[in-house]
Amino acid sequence: MIQNTHHFHLARVLCTCLPAIGVSVTLASDARYTLANQQAGINAVTIPLQSYTGQHDRMTGGVSVGDFNLDGWPDLYIPGLGNTPDMLYINKQDGTFENQASSWGVDRMILGVGSAVGDVNNDGLPDLYVISYGPASAQAQPGKCLLYINQGPDSNGQWSFSEEAQLRGVNNILEIVGGKGACFGDYDLDGDLDLYAATWQFTTSSHGNRLFENDGNGYFTDVSAEVLPANDTVLRGFTPKMVDLNGDRYPELLLTCDFETSALYVSNGPDANGRVTFRDETETAGITTDHNGMGATVNDFDGDGKLDWFQTNIYVPSANYFNTLFMGDRVEPDGTPIFVDEATSRGVADIGWGWGVVSGDHDNDGDVDIVATNGWPQWPNEPTRFWKNDGSANFNDISFITGLSFNINGRGMAQLDYDRDGDLDLVFVDNGGPFRIYRNDLYEPGTLDAHYLRIDLNTDMHPCLAPMGYGTRIIARYAGKDHLRVNDGASSYLGQSELTVHYGLGEATSVESVRFEWADGSVTVIENPAIDQQMTVYAYHPADFDEDGRFTFYDVSRMLQAYLSNDQAGDFNGDGSINIMDIMDFIDRFQNPCE
């Protein structure tokens, strides 16, 4: 059952379920990963060309996940790093992938770095942004970033991209070579995706910040000087994220940066003229113990309803250099979130020379684990880390049990359920080696070790919400607890993971409810959803009464009919009573859906 409150826009649910007949339920086991490149048909090798100059070749190597052809199965974009054309592995829905970069128009020989996936022009199709230093045939240079606009299928069913970065204002993110990671997010809550690009190099004027505002049609303006705080600190940026930390819906900027320059910019919300700006609250918030921030992931690791921020760093115990796990503590009256670094006490301090990291429930036992990769030439080699959560955010490295205790020169990584069997798989980029895809074999034939629920968000029908559900908070209640997830774009080092919201249920055999707190302030509650499925929740225009994606006389007629018959659906404003104010609010929302 779906319940709506407080000027709700409605939601529709579609699902694809695994058959439950004849499936035995046993206690949850540890995740078990198998190297699956041969079975999956992925033979990518990521060896960077030395034309990157400086140390940029050593730091590159990312991957991004996106459902680029909207078939419900995740695909992979892998930069070729100048030695091979960029790759776009399309999921064939049978456990295999096919590199279709050429037919899609992304098979460029470029000095690629970070990437991000988002629908920038609100047409319902995922686009791809790539930070690049230009063609591999030349030395690295600025102004060569790429924005691939998804054209959808042609008359023959062939999908393709059109490169439009210069046309749309995001080809140049810095006056010199230096871009690293990027992320999308709706910083001003106007219903479109803005872009933040991090830069490891810097100039006096920029300090490594670039925030591009979307005009609603996918054309961008650099608003860094007007919107971001004046800052004397040079940010040596790697991994940016946009996520609301204080509950006012406006996302903060979480900037994971090198050389003790990580920053937290808190949103001030709109001023009297409607302009949204940020203030620097790094020190006040307690973001002061990182030294070489590389990758980042945000999640609620201890289940207290407050988001936590994990960063990979370089492990040098003699200098007190560790990973950081900033646990959310409280929010001050002025909206500043306060964190406490507990990486050491919670068992996640040591990663070697850390880079990519993801967090998710990889064993489907009901809590959030952390997986991280590492490596650097002439540095003590460390195996990949799989930190299992004990349910209270105390972690234990069990990589040797999960099959992930390998040593690579790891950079980017991502998580996704590429075979759609209900558990999270992993991909790793080896700087100078083969790309790796690991299939999670948590589920064996004839058994279901732990239940799950996976949710895709579709906000295309709502004019006030950013595409792909960016900015949505999702709270599932099961096993007597609330389990928080947030769609922050899933960015990490030089790429991003899938946007599908994943819940492992452990031994729970039902979910009481799932609450969707949309970025416009409205709320949808789905009660008792079926489990062991991947479902899509659609958000609609607040006044689209019959949820058909159109505005016609029938919406007005059905609202009036519900009102006159005293049907509960006539309580449009969700105040518990049906009166003339529901009609007035309906008309207002029909004309002004985003107010």
Side-chain angles (χ1 to χ4, degrees):
M1 186 175 82
I2 300 175
Q3 296 181 344
N4 298 316
T5 63
H6 182 57
H7 285 316
F8 267 36
H9 54 296
L10 304 179
R12 182 172 294 163
V13 178
L14 298 179
C15 72
T16 54
C17 307
L18 291 180
I21 298 176
V23 174
S24 62
V25 178
T26 62
L27 294 178
S29 63
D30 294 319
R32 298 183 292 270
Y33 286 95
T34 302
L35 184 63
N37 284 62
Q38 184 174 355
Q39 299 93 321
I42 295 180
N43 58 359
V45 178
T46 48
I47 301 175
L49 201 65
Q50 291 187 352
S51 297
Y52 279 89
T53 71
Q55 297 188 58
H56 291 296
D57 60 325
R58 294 185 176 189
M59 293 187 283
T60 195
V63 56
S64 279
V65 181
D67 180 10
F68 296 111
N69 58 4
L70 299 183
D71 64 354
W73 294 72
D75 311 305
L76 295 169
Y77 166 74
I78 308 171
L81 309 186
N83 263 313
T84 189
D86 287 358
M87 294 154 278
L88 185 65
Y89 279 95
I90 299 299
N91 197 317
K92 303 300 290 181
Q93 306 182 19
D94 59 0
T96 68
F97 292 82
E98 180 183 9
N99 184 10
Q100 298 182 8
S102 177
S103 59
W104 281 72
V106 299
D107 59 333
R108 300 185 180 220
M109 291 281 288
I110 62 170
L111 305 175
V113 195
S115 57
V117 178
D119 176 9
V120 303
N121 55 356
N122 288 37
D123 65 352
L125 304 174
D127 308 305
L128 174 65
Y129 182 69
V130 179
I131 292 179
S132 168
Y133 299 163
S137 57
Q139 286 294 313
Q141 53 193 301
K144 299 299 182 180
C145 296
L146 306 170
L147 178 58
Y148 291 111
I149 300 297
N150 196 326
Q151 301 299 307
D154 62 16
S155 58
N156 297 316
Q158 176 59 56
W159 290 70
S160 65
F161 285 111
S162 172
E163 200 291 298
E164 302 180 12
Q166 185 170 359
L167 174 66
R168 294 177 180 269
V170 289
N171 63 301
N172 193 15
I173 60 173
L174 200 64
E175 295 84 352
I176 59 176
V177 172
K180 283 293 181 280
C183 72
F184 287 112
D186 187 4
Y187 90 92
D188 50 3
L189 297 188
D190 62 353
D192 54 42
L193 288 178
D194 310 300
L195 173 68
Y196 184 94
T199 56
W200 187 74
Q201 298 293 98
F202 61 91
T203 64
T204 303
S205 60
S206 73
H207 300 295
N209 290 283
R210 282 294 187 269
L211 178 62
F212 296 91
E213 183 176 326
N214 193 329
D215 72 349
N217 297 304
Y219 294 84
F220 294 86
T221 301
D222 181 359
V223 295
S224 306
E226 307 95 87
V227 171
L228 299 179
N231 194 339
D232 293 333
T233 300
V234 173
L235 303 185
R236 304 295 292 270
F238 278 130
T239 303
K241 300 180 79 68
M242 293 192 212
V243 55
D244 173 28
L245 296 175
N246 58 16
D248 68 353
R249 298 184 288 112
Y250 287 88
E252 276 62 59
L253 271 170
L254 288 69
L255 307 177
T256 297
C257 306
D258 208 352
F259 302 127
E260 303 181 9
T261 66
S262 291
L264 176 61
Y265 291 167
V266 174
S267 177
N268 295 315
D271 61 18
N273 297 316
R275 167 61 80 184
V276 176
T277 60
F278 293 88
R279 66 184 187 273
D280 187 349
E281 296 286 4
T282 305
E283 291 193 13
T284 303
I287 311 302
T288 57
T289 53
D290 75 297
H291 291 273
N292 303 99
M294 311 291 196
T297 184
V298 171
N299 230 310
D300 180 10
F301 295 109
D302 57 357
D304 65 352
K306 296 185 286 290
L307 291 173
D308 313 306
W309 180 10
F310 178 82
Q311 299 174 330
T312 55
N313 272 247
I314 302 173
Y315 181 69
V316 187
S318 61
N320 290 321
Y321 284 19
F322 309 98
N323 295 331
T324 55
L325 177 54
F326 295 113
M327 300 296 293
D329 182 65
R330 65 187 187 280
V331 176
E332 294 294 316
D334 67 353
T336 300
I338 306 299
F339 294 89
V340 179
D341 182 9
E342 300 180 5
T344 300
S345 63
R346 292 184 181 272
V348 291
D350 178 8
I351 187 57
W353 193 302
W355 295 101
V357 60
V358 298
S359 59
D361 191 353
H362 292 265
D363 50 12
N364 283 0
D365 65 351
D367 49 48
V368 181
D369 311 301
I370 301 174
V371 187
T373 189
N374 68 90
W376 187 254
Q378 291 82 51
W379 193 261
N381 208 352
E382 294 284 346
T384 300
R385 297 287 197 266
F386 184 107
W387 284 303
K388 178 181 175 64
N389 192 333
D390 71 349
S392 301
N394 297 304
F395 295 89
N396 182 36
D397 179 18
I398 61 166
S399 54
F400 62 96
I401 295 176
T402 64
L404 296 178
S405 58
F406 52 84
N407 296 67
I408 61 173
N409 198 23
R411 295 297 181 268
M413 64 173 298
Q415 64 187 17
L416 70 163
D417 182 8
Y418 81 86
D419 51 2
R420 289 197 52 165
D421 64 348
D423 52 35
L424 291 173
D425 310 303
L426 294 166
V427 292
F428 297 83
V429 178
D430 184 351
N431 180 285
F435 181 88
R436 293 169 175 249
I437 181 167
Y438 281 85
R439 184 186 65 244
N440 190 348
D441 293 323
L442 180 64
Y443 295 114
E444 296 179 345
T447 68
L448 189 59
D449 289 337
H451 296 287
Y452 70 91
L453 177 64
R454 291 171 51 81
I455 304 170
D456 291 311
L457 304 176
N458 188 313
T459 49
D460 293 341
M461 300 290 187
H462 198 300
C464 319
L465 295 176
M468 305 169 75
Y470 271 79
T472 308
R473 289 168 59 93
I474 308 97
I475 302 98
R477 183 161 185 81
Y478 56 91
K481 298 192 300 183
D482 288 339
H483 301 258
L484 171 66
R485 302 287 189 271
V486 60
N487 183 355
D488 65 349
S491 63
S492 186
Y493 186 73
L494 302 187
Q496 71 180 62
S497 294
E498 67 176 7
L499 297 182
T500 302
V501 179
H502 180 92
Y503 287 102
L505 307 184
E507 298 177 57
T509 57
S510 65
V511 173
E512 296 176 36
S513 64
V514 184
R515 176 184 174 91
F516 300 85
E517 298 179 353
W518 307 97
D520 69 342
S522 59
V523 174
T524 299
V525 178
I526 300 176
E527 295 184 343
N528 301 310
I531 63 172
D532 300 329
Q533 63 153 319
Q534 183 164 324
M535 68 182 188
T536 300
V537 175
Y538 291 83
Y540 289 83
H541 186 295
D544 185 5
F545 204 77
D546 56 8
E547 300 182 8
D548 65 355
R550 299 174 298 152
F551 310 114
T552 67
F553 169 76
Y554 293 104
D555 293 304
V556 179
S557 174
R558 292 187 180 186
M559 172 60 197
L560 289 173
Q561 190 175 40
Y563 172 77
L564 293 173
S565 62
N566 207 38
D567 188 296
Q568 183 60 35
D571 182 15
F572 182 77
N573 58 18
D575 65 356
S577 62
I578 301 174
N579 52 47
I580 192 61
M581 292 307 300
D582 293 300
I583 297 295
M584 300 299 292
D585 286 345
F586 175 81
I587 294 172
D588 179 64
R589 294 290 274 179
F590 193 94
Q591 296 175 331
N592 306 290
C594 299
E595 293 184 357

